Amino acid sequence: MDLVDVYEAVVPSIVALIAKMVRRPAGQDREPLMPAIIGTGFLVNDSGLVATNRHVADLMRQVPPHPTTGAPGYGAVMFDMSKDTDGAPCMRWMLPEIASVGMLSQFSSDSIWYGEAVPDIAFVQLQMRGTPFLKLANDEFYIRPGMPIATAGFPMGNVPLIVMQKVNQVTPFIRRGIVSSVFPFSIPRPHGLTIDIMQQGGSSGSPIFYEHEATVVGMMAAGMLQGAPVPIGNCSLTAHVPTNISIAVSAHMIGLALPTFLESEFAVDTSGFPTLAEWQQTHDATEELGWDTFPL
């Protein structure tokens, strides 16, 4: 597969995690073009389970509930890249409800562990099953420095999607680079890695995959910052400037965390959820992305 084919194979499994409500200044009548994208996630099984970062899940939980209904203020958006009856490409937004958001409180490894006590991993359960999902790499030495990789998600959130004062883009950005390093060194299953793609707000939780294959080798987590002096009059302050080196969670760690989540209080029975195909049959293909606005 070339990178174009890989991207098209990956996109249906990517999920944008959003705030479904927007607060606007009093007296401002114009509604925002689209809600904020908190982070990115990707489906890891056919039961609608999404992997993302722990810090993304924490931000989702900080979104206030709907002031009238009490419903959660966060939501999810999936993408259907299909073709119409004439064979032309088309795009459909899908907004499944979220059943559960769970962060790891403990973690255990199947080998000597040098990483964080609780990795930056969380899971979001959609009210949908029969979903596409991405395979997690787990072979020995599945990732090594110098390996070409790509990632797809929403760096800078919704800002670049509305840069022309309208919604001009609805699909994830794809970026490519190489694996810069693995933690702690080149071992069969490293506990983390770095890549030469800048981490930006909104890209947290993005899958990192082989350039030639839609298999996940890691998940974007954090950026490395560099201190730079900024002169202000006779004083000098230190600004933390993003670099092109980003830290990622390795794929097999997500696989190790899955059983813990599925046995936790956040796991739910998905047998009663509609399948993706059933959901599509009961929702209008022209359904728009909607949200509520409230004055500050």
Side-chain angles (χ1 to χ4, degrees):
M1 297 175 70
D2 62 21
L3 192 52
V4 173
D5 294 328
V6 172
Y7 175 76
E8 291 183 355
V10 165
V11 166
S13 298
I14 291 180
V15 176
L17 301 168
I18 66 169
K20 294 188 348 183
M21 299 187 305
V22 180
R23 294 189 178 273
R24 60 184 180 185
Q28 180 176 319
D29 295 330
R30 182 184 177 188
E31 292 191 5
L33 294 172
M34 64 184 301
I37 296 177
I38 300 171
T40 306
F42 60 98
L43 288 152
V44 292
N45 66 17
D46 62 359
S47 296
L49 191 62
V50 177
T52 189
N53 291 133
R54 181 185 179 90
H55 69 267
V56 171
D58 185 53
L59 288 172
M60 291 173 65
R61 289 182 167 183
Q62 292 179 36
V63 177
H66 193 289
T68 304
T69 67
Y74 50 76
V77 180
M78 294 173 60
F79 308 89
D80 179 12
M81 293 181 65
S82 56
K83 298 183 183 298
D84 61 23
T85 53
D86 298 327
C90 60
M91 167 59 65
R92 179 182 182 184
W93 298 40
M94 297 180 291
L95 286 77
E97 295 295 328
I98 292 177
S100 175
V101 178
M103 298 179 286
L104 290 185
S105 59
Q106 58 183 358
F107 178 81
S108 60
S109 174
D110 56 355
S111 61
I112 298 175
W113 182 244
Y114 300 98
E116 299 173 286
V118 182
D120 194 4
I121 301 173
F123 295 97
V124 175
Q125 178 65 62
L126 304 181
Q127 290 186 21
M128 180 184 288
R129 57 191 175 88
T131 56
F133 65 95
L134 296 177
K135 175 185 175 183
L136 299 171
N138 195 36
D139 297 333
E140 290 191 351
F141 296 102
Y142 67 88
I143 191 159
R144 287 181 164 178
M147 180 180 291
I149 48 85
T151 183
F154 295 94
M156 296 183 284
N158 64 331
V159 172
L161 308 186
I162 56 175
V163 70
M164 299 179 186
Q165 308 306 313
K166 61 180 180 180
V167 179
N168 59 84
Q169 177 180 330
V170 295
T171 51
F173 285 89
I174 183 167
R175 298 180 289 170
R176 70 194 299 185
I178 60 170
V179 175
S180 297
S181 68
V182 295
F183 302 155
F185 52 89
S186 192
I187 58 175
R189 291 185 175 87
H191 66 260
L193 63 146
T194 65
I195 60 175
D196 69 332
I197 299 173
M198 184 181 290
Q199 162 76 349
Q200 295 166 292
S203 63
S204 293
S206 299
I208 301 167
F209 41 87
Y210 293 123
E211 192 178 67
H212 62 280
E213 179 185 330
T215 297
V216 173
V217 299
M219 177 172 67
M220 293 283 278
M224 287 192 179
L225 303 178
Q226 181 178 23
V230 179
I232 301 178
N234 296 325
C235 302
S236 179
L237 299 177
T238 300
H240 296 286
V241 181
T243 70
N244 216 43
I245 301 297
S246 298
I247 301 171
V249 178
S250 52
H252 77 279
M253 285 175 51
I254 301 171
L256 289 172
L258 266 171
T260 301
F261 175 83
L262 294 175
E263 295 174 1
S264 73
E265 61 183 297
F266 304 108
V268 298
D269 181 8
T270 62
S271 60
F273 293 163
T275 65
L276 173 60
E278 291 169 341
W279 192 96
Q280 290 175 324
Q281 290 176 356
T282 57
H283 288 74
D284 189 344
T286 61
E287 183 177 28
E288 296 183 356
L289 177 62
W291 62 91
D292 289 329
T293 59
F294 299 95
L296 288 171

